[in-house]
Amino acid sequence: MSTRSLHLASSADADEVVRALTALRSELRVPARFSAEALAEARSVTPQPVDTDFRDIPFVTIDPPGSLDLDQAVHVAATSAGFVVHYAIADVASFVAPGGALDLETHERGTTLYGPDTRIPLHPLELSEGSASLLPGVDRPAVVWRIEVDEGGEIIDGVVRRGLVRSREQLTYAQAQERINAGSPELGLLRTVGELRQRCERERGGVSLDVPEQEITTSPDGSFGLKLRSTLPVEGWNAQISLLTGIFAARMMRAGGVGIFRALPPADPRDLARLRHTARALGIVWAPEAGYGDVLATVNSTHPREAAFLAEATTLFRGASYVAFGGFGQAPGVPAAAAHAAIAAEYAHVTAPLRRLVDRYGTEVCLALDAGKDVPEWVLSALGDLPETMARTGRRASAYDRGVLDVVEAALLSTRIGESLGGVVVDVDDRSRQGRRGRRGQVALAEPPVRARAEGELALGEVVQATVAEASIADRRVMLRVG
């Protein structure tokens, strides 16, 4: 795992960052705190007893360092036919009363928002980091998926049940990777199934992008920083378990004629043509008969030109939405175009209910269908409005994430106006004019790891020296000049 990081030079800079982040939350109307009624519900609720005991399964959680809102715990075992995946998901519905004060607030929030100075959770911490979280060494109600896959990683069958679980251990990604590298038998099977599912994904025509992440850090003195982090292999294998569950959940929903899919339209042919042009410009081989997924699987994000190609490839995955069907007031049957193009399968969100509202509803649909029961009325009545609720809160979450990065990037460069820094051109706006200021685009700096707007002599994938022309924390704006 490669990282590059930089921190602010002074507490005064950190104070200005906090003010800018506060202004950002006000601008986006981010909920500041839960109502007294919602908090009272969260503190007083007692989940219903469950009949099935899964505490003999040695689940572990794998999350970023410091996480306490633990949605998922996993265990993989070998069978005579292949493998069995047990995936325990926090049973949030057993803690949230439909139509209550807390339920109403979660519909306003939609998703958890993460920032360097504070986190705005979907649920009160009493639930998300307490009684509903799959913390190690304690009994927790959970929704447990049991999915069988064959020796090639393809789904054979599965079931989903409520039950009691006890996670054995909380691991970070780095710890899990170390265990796997050291030959851990149980976690080694996570790698085996993860790699099989990655191969299945490629064969379906799906794709996962390995783009280095900009990650905001904090120091004990309260200052903020930024690092560029390459993802570990175990993160991809672990993500495949979540995708496996979501694909199986979507199959259940289609068979039952009720549910909510996460959908993504196929890439626009014009975007694909532009990406092929980009590949030629960057010297990346793309055979005429190869799909974009085949090419992306060979790209190394640590190489500047290939990193630029990956950054351009993200534009293929635009227009994601939720598609609900079978609820009150909706036409029966599954819409024809409801697949997720990047996954190359129909897919449902059911694995992160502590942090994403829609997962609670998708999970309840699957529990009812698996048990041969009617889907609860409170679920059916909400399905029609969920796509718009998730779209509205998703737009706010995206704006918040981008705004937070803009603030920290501006802070890191605010004392470096006029300096020349090395970087690579990762985006060029083909519509911009070659005038006095040149073309517009984006440059990813090497140090600090900032990706910022740029003007000047820009050629995609070129290694350049960029001058910091502007860096305003309050305005959340950085501008670089090239040439």
Side-chain angles (χ1 to χ4, degrees), residues 292-357:
Y292 67 86
D294 299 321
V295 179
L296 293 173
T298 68
V299 173
N300 186 339
S301 63
T302 63
H303 299 159
R305 287 179 175 268
E306 296 183 27
F309 180 72
L310 282 174
E312 284 292 295
T314 61
T315 62
L316 297 179
F317 311 121
R318 295 182 293 197
S321 63
Y322 288 94
V323 178
F325 52 95
F328 293 163
Q330 295 173 302
V334 184
H340 193 292
I343 297 171
E346 291 177 339
Y347 171 68
H349 275 153
V350 293
T351 63
L354 286 174
R355 292 170 281 180
R356 194 170 49 212
L357 172 67

Side-chain angles (χ1 to χ4, degrees), residues 24 214 397-407 409 442 451:
L24 173 64
Q214 286 176 295
S398 296
Y400 184 67
D401 289 344
R402 184 61 253 176
V404 166
L405 269 175
D406 289 342
V407 167
E409 288 177 335
Q442 289 192 327
R451 175 172 171 158

Side-chain angles (χ1 to χ4, degrees), residues 52-66:
T52 309
D53 192 339
F54 294 103
R55 287 178 295 179
D56 61 325
I57 299 175
F59 286 110
V60 298
T61 59
I62 306 175
D63 291 275

Side-chain angles (χ1 to χ4, degrees), residues 16-286:
E16 189 173 356
V17 167
V18 171
R19 289 194 294 271
L21 294 175
T22 301
L24 173 64
R25 287 190 286 271
S26 176
E27 175 185 316
L28 296 176
R29 298 184 179 180
V30 173
R33 56 181 59 87
F34 288 93
S35 68
E37 294 79 8
L39 288 174
E41 287 184 17
R43 291 164 180 164
S44 63
V45 67
T46 302
Q48 295 296 315
V50 291
D51 296 329
T52 309
D53 192 339
F54 294 103
R55 287 178 295 179
D56 61 325
I57 299 175
F59 286 110
V60 298
T61 59
I62 306 175
D63 291 275
S67 297
L68 292 175
D69 49 347
L70 309 182
D71 283 293
Q72 312 111 0
V74 64
H75 180 261
V76 183
T79 67
S80 59
F83 307 90
V84 60
V85 175
H86 281 99
Y87 207 33
I89 307 300
D91 188 6
V92 176
S94 68
F95 291 90
V96 180
L102 179 54
D103 185 31
L104 294 176
E105 290 216 22
T106 60
H107 279 76
E108 172 57 31
R109 293 167 182 252
T111 184
T112 293
L113 301 181
Y114 295 90
D117 60 331
T118 188
R119 179 161 49 83
I120 301 93
L122 175 60
H123 302 92
L125 298 185
E126 288 85 349
L127 289 184
S128 60
E129 296 186 356
S131 55
S133 178
L134 302 183
L135 298 167
V138 292
D139 294 346
R140 287 289 187 262
V143 174
V144 179
W145 295 82
R146 185 185 188 276
I147 304 176
E148 299 174 57
V149 299
D150 63 22
E151 293 179 346
E154 296 289 354
I155 297 172
I156 299 173
D157 201 0
V159 296
V160 58
R161 300 282 191 275
R162 277 196 160 91
L164 198 64
V165 303
R166 178 180 290 183
S167 173
R168 297 294 194 271
E169 195 172 9
Q170 179 180 353
L171 300 176
T172 65
Y173 291 125
Q175 290 170 333
Q177 189 68 60
E178 289 172 2
R179 299 269 185 94
I180 293 171
N181 292 346
S184 167
E186 291 184 345
L187 287 179
L189 291 178
L190 172 63
R191 174 179 185 166
T192 300
V193 173
E195 289 180 337
L196 288 172
R197 291 299 298 174
Q198 286 173 331
R199 186 176 69 184
C200 291
E201 180 179 73
R202 291 191 296 272
E203 291 173 351
R204 293 193 310 268
V207 61
S208 296
L209 292 181
D210 179 23
V211 181
E213 299 176 345
Q214 286 176 295
E215 189 173 272
I216 296 172
T217 61
T218 56
S219 290
D221 64 0
S223 66
F224 305 106
L226 195 64
K227 68 180 181 181
L228 193 65
R229 188 181 72 86
S230 297
T231 57
L232 290 166
V234 69
E235 296 179 61
W237 306 327
N238 196 49
Q240 285 297 325
I241 302 300
S242 182
L243 290 171
L244 167 71
T245 308
I247 290 170
F248 183 68
R251 292 186 184 182
M252 294 179 67
M253 292 176 184
R254 170 170 281 280
V258 58
I260 182 165
F261 288 172
R262 182 62 165 166
L264 180 71
D268 189 305
R270 293 171 296 182
D271 289 335
L272 281 170
R274 180 179 51 77
L275 191 62
R276 279 189 177 271
H277 173 74
T278 299
R280 288 195 297 271
L282 295 175
I284 293 171
V285 177
W286 188 341

